[in-house]
Amino acid sequence: MSPTTVTYKASAMDMSRSDTRIICGLGPANFGGIERVRARLFALASAGPSARVGLQVTPTSPKWKYRPDLVCDNVIEVDPITAVQVKELLVELSRTASAEVPLRARLAGDYLLLDLSHGFSDAVLPVELYAYLGNPDPNPPLPSWATARAVRNPLPRALADWMIHNPRNIVDVVHGRLRTVPPELVSPALAPMEDSRVPWSPSPALAVASSSVGAPSALTAWRAENLPEVSITSMLSAAVAKALSTSGIPTAYSANFLFDCRRYLRAEGVVLGNFAVGIDFRGIDPTSPTALHSSLAHAIDKGRPLAVGGLSALHYLKTRSAVPSIRATTAPATADAEITFSDIGRVRQVENIAWTEQPDKCVFYPLSEPSIPQSIVVTSMRVRDVFHLTATFHDNFFDRDAVQSAIDLAMFDPIALLAPQELSR
């Protein structure tokens, strides 16, 4: 059968994200020139539909065409840029993104920027792409994920595995009665106030910062002495929320976190497709690492991410419509920042690519455009012994300088933001 006639049936979780984008930039590294980038992308696409990058993602139908010959149609070389210009090009890609174009790549000197349909995957695929495209070996073999047996629809398997090992929680999961926050952490909710609304249209902006070398190790050591039961994710998220507040951006008494559901899979197989979900925690202090950690641990233990993933899949199957990238056409006249946290963790896959600078001069910045005006999406990761942090927001709702000041503050000394409130308790 000719590759032009092959189709791939996307999962409900893939379809629900097929109208949004994953945009990121990495460098400086030696990617070997635009022809090598194209050749490696074509090799991945030609490995088969399970490698995903050869698919023609569309939000209008789950029957995606497999067309590896088209993968490089929007892979081009542009003028070289510096590290400080990465965010400008990321924002440009966000403003010009189209759901009809599954993949775009821009090689700008030693920086490679990717714009992928979210239908392809969550954060897993772009990380793996960078690892392969930046591999210093002149003729590397195809990565194992491109040829391994793929789990196309992992949700039923993960749910079954979890229910077998957690029979007491099955009723809660099925009926959606799980609390997202332990009762002892919930503060009384204030009655919602009616606010005036004004016409609004998206205006994506990005604030970026990286820590000094050694900051992740220093935070880990401080945690061991002061908050040994709290995760680095919770600590870093709380530091960002505190920095936003310190910089004049009040934060709502809530937090949204993205969860990778791969933690629930026990069987073998590679999950390249979408298997991450967002959970909204209401009534918690986002500047408190202990409150964040307790809420996250409770949700994971009770299988809440799987329940949310199941509801998301059912919603798509019922409506047959992808989640739109932007849902709002009006904005509140004023509102506290609603923060979404996405911590990718330590990205070991790219630590040994062909970097051309020392760790403190390198960047890995994702852009994830918020769907509502009062939201700020914060993405963090660790590459080698450096934190990289981005905050995506709309600059017609939040002040650019205030958000950048907060991100700079969080990366300059996260421990200083955490220590006063935690040690005084």
Side-chain angles (χ1 to χ4, degrees), residues 7-12 14-15 52 55 62-64 152 320:
T7 59
Y8 178 99
K9 187 175 181 180
S11 72
D14 290 337
M15 286 303 301
R52 304 187 72 82
L55 298 173
K63 295 181 179 179
W64 296 348
R152 184 173 298 191
R320 296 294 175 177

Side-chain angles (χ1 to χ4, degrees), residues 209-257:
S210 297
S211 73
S212 60
V213 176
S217 295
L219 185 58
T220 301
W222 188 87
R223 178 187 66 167
E225 290 293 327
N226 299 280
L227 298 170
E229 302 301 320
V230 175
S231 68
I232 293 294
T233 294
S234 299
M235 295 175 66
L236 198 58
S237 299
V240 173
K242 180 66 174 178
L244 286 168
S245 179
T246 301
S247 300
I249 301 176
T251 58
Y253 221 62
S254 65
N256 186 285
F257 275 87

Side-chain angles (χ1 to χ4, degrees), residues 78-392:
V78 297
D79 292 338
I81 59 174
T82 63
V84 296
Q85 295 173 302
V86 170
K87 71 175 183 179
E88 298 171 11
L89 190 48
L90 287 172
V91 170
E92 179 185 333
L93 287 173
S94 178
R95 293 177 184 269
T96 59
S98 168
E100 304 304 315
V101 180
L103 182 153
R104 291 189 296 171
R106 301 290 182 265
L107 182 62
D110 286 346
Y111 295 88
L112 180 64
L113 290 85
L114 298 175
D115 166 28
L116 308 172
S117 168
H118 208 324
F120 277 131
S121 182
D122 42 45
V124 168
L125 185 58
V127 166
E128 296 291 359
L129 285 177
Y130 276 122
Y132 182 62
L133 297 175
N135 189 325
D137 187 335
N139 294 294
L142 283 174
S144 59
W145 57 264
T147 56
R149 182 177 64 87
V151 181
R152 184 173 298 191
N153 192 0
L155 183 59
R157 181 181 300 185
L159 273 168
D161 286 346
W162 186 84
M163 288 179 177
I164 289 172
H165 293 88
N166 299 272
R168 294 182 180 180
N169 293 323
I170 291 177
V171 174
D172 284 340
V173 171
V174 172
H175 293 285
R177 296 174 180 169
L178 293 168
R179 296 182 63 90
T180 59
V181 184
E184 64 273 14
L185 295 176
V186 178
S187 297
L190 297 175
M193 298 179 63
E194 291 294 328
D195 57 16
S196 59
R197 299 189 70 86
V198 297
W200 178 84
S201 59
S203 182
L206 187 66
V208 302
S210 297
S211 73
S212 60
V213 176
S217 295
L219 185 58
T220 301
W222 188 87
R223 178 187 66 167
E225 290 293 327
N226 299 280
L227 298 170
E229 302 301 320
V230 175
S231 68
I232 293 294
T233 294
S234 299
M235 295 175 66
L236 198 58
S237 299
V240 173
K242 180 66 174 178
L244 286 168
S245 179
T246 301
S247 300
I249 301 176
T251 58
Y253 221 62
S254 65
N256 186 285
F257 275 87
L258 296 182
F259 289 79
D260 188 342
C261 291
R262 292 170 181 82
R263 72 180 74 239
Y264 295 106
L265 280 174
R266 299 175 182 272
E268 294 182 357
V270 173
V271 179
L272 283 179
N274 284 279
F275 207 32
V277 300
I279 298 181
D280 197 18
F281 298 92
R282 294 288 173 178
I284 62 171
D285 180 2
T287 69
S288 169
T290 53
L292 293 180
H293 178 81
S294 296
S295 300
L296 296 176
H298 181 267
I300 292 170
D301 180 61
K302 296 298 182 180
R304 181 64 176 174
L306 291 177
V308 173
L311 290 173
S312 175
L314 289 173
H315 180 267
Y316 170 77
L317 293 173
K318 180 180 179 180
T319 64
R320 296 294 175 177
S321 61
V323 175
S325 56
I326 299 294
R327 295 190 292 271
T329 57
T330 63
T334 182
D336 294 340
E338 298 181 12
I339 312 175
T340 293
F341 295 104
S342 176
D343 181 30
I344 301 175
R346 184 171 180 179
V347 189
R348 298 181 184 274
Q349 296 94 319
V350 302
E351 291 189 348
N352 294 315
I353 66 170
W355 298 103
T356 58
E357 285 283 359
Q358 295 302 308
D360 61 333
K361 302 294 185 183
C362 298
V363 301
F364 190 173
Y365 293 146
L367 182 155
S368 183
E369 187 174 344
S371 59
I372 57 174
Q374 66 268 34
S375 176
I376 298 177
V377 180
V378 175
T379 307
S380 57
M381 72 183 74
R382 174 184 176 182
V383 179
R384 293 178 283 186
D385 206 15
V386 174
F387 284 129
H388 299 286
L389 188 70
T390 66
T392 315

